[in-house]
Amino acid sequence: MLKEDDVKKLIDKLQYFDYDKVLNKIRKNVKKPSVLVTGGTGVGKSSLINHLFGMDVAKAGSGKPMTDRITRYEPENYDVVLYDTLGYEVGEEKQQKFYKDVIGFVKEANGKSDVKKHVHLAWYCISAANKRVTPTDLDAIAALSGLTEVCVVLTQIDAATMVELDEMKDVLKKKLPNTAAFVVSIDPRVPEEKMQWNDLLGWSVDHLDAGLQLAFAQALGQELHIKHIQADKLINRYVAAAAGAVVCPLPMTDSAALIAIQTTMATHLFNFWGIDRGTDKIKEVFVNVVVANTGRIFSRSLLKIIPGAGSIAAAVVNSGVATSFTYAFGRAVNEVCYKTASHMAKGEKVDITSAFAMDVIMKLIQKYYKK
């Protein structure tokens, strides 16, 4: 009978797991959503992007000019494409040029057969500080709605009274009854309950094809509630893969394919939460503590959560065990990643070694394991 040490030797090869190679394979198949952020001059488009995606667009890369008014950004390690537009200025000629350039660009992009080049969402920003919705705004939004999924984002609401804000919303509701509108501000003095960041992101996810939703959530740097929902869907994909890997019961020692699925899932979740955008040291700790020990975590867990296993050699992995453990392991890694990302989003320091310690993962696995 094989001892647990023998099994550990069998799965020790996981310590040579190539994180970057696996991640590149995962990301190679990612379909990135494209978001057009547009509106007038000084309405807070860049601030909106910076807040939601946790990046400074100006520093995210040089950008690729698509027209003299529209710049395409595809930041490294973010699964999203952003189109940032120069805002229109007062004056009928300038407003008409804005309208022609922006609407013309979206019409041309979405007329192409390659959906990767489409504009999937449009966020039309109007500053509440301007106290009004202009005819150019209404015309542009109406035109965009016939070409792609569009919503209105009323920004800088800290600069308007509730009466002024309600008047703007009433105009939008009357003139554009089928277009959703959301109010936001990056001013920390505005109470959270008065802002609609989650509603904006929820609308965005709901109006993307299923194949684009996960990538959109991955790119977010703030409003982690949306990421959490999509992370659960990600785990379910790997649970289904685990079930398919175990067509009939097999000994623990033959479950290398299952362990590989769980290792890839852990890598995917770590990247999904954006934790690997930190220092190389953070990634190194994760690889050494979680990824390289996935097999050990699996074997130790089986001994604890499967009654009567007796020894690791006696543990038989069937579809039920495979799906239950993969689900529990995914939820465990996801919970640690979520808490870590939450602290990092607030600028707090995190002890990655302690956060991803084997004992922490083990306790969470036992919490989530379901027969």
Side-chain angles (χ1 to χ4, degrees), residues 2 6 14-15 22 73 84 88 92 100 107 115 174 183 218 221 226 250 264 266 279 286 326-327 332 348 366:
L2 286 174
D6 296 322
L14 283 172
Q15 68 180 302
V22 171
Y73 293 94
D84 193 15
Y88 71 80
E92 186 171 343
K100 181 179 179 181
K107 185 175 182 179
V115 295
K174 181 179 179 181
V183 297
Q218 184 275 342
I226 297 295
L250 71 161
T264 303
T279 66
F286 176 75
T326 303
Y327 172 80
E348 300 172 358
Q366 292 178 62

Side-chain angles (χ1 to χ4, degrees), residues 38-40 42-45 88 123-134 136-138 141 151-157 165 168 172 176 181-184:
T38 190
V43 297
K45 296 186 294 294
Y88 71 80
W123 293 343
Y124 194 97
C125 300
I126 301 175
S127 174
N130 293 337
K131 320 294 186 187
R132 63 190 291 262
V133 180
T134 70
T136 297
D137 291 326
L138 295 171
I141 296 166
C151 70
V152 176
V153 185
L154 291 173
T155 62
Q156 304 168 341
I157 63 170
L165 198 57
M168 293 178 73
L172 290 169
L176 303 166
F182 307 98
V183 297
V184 300

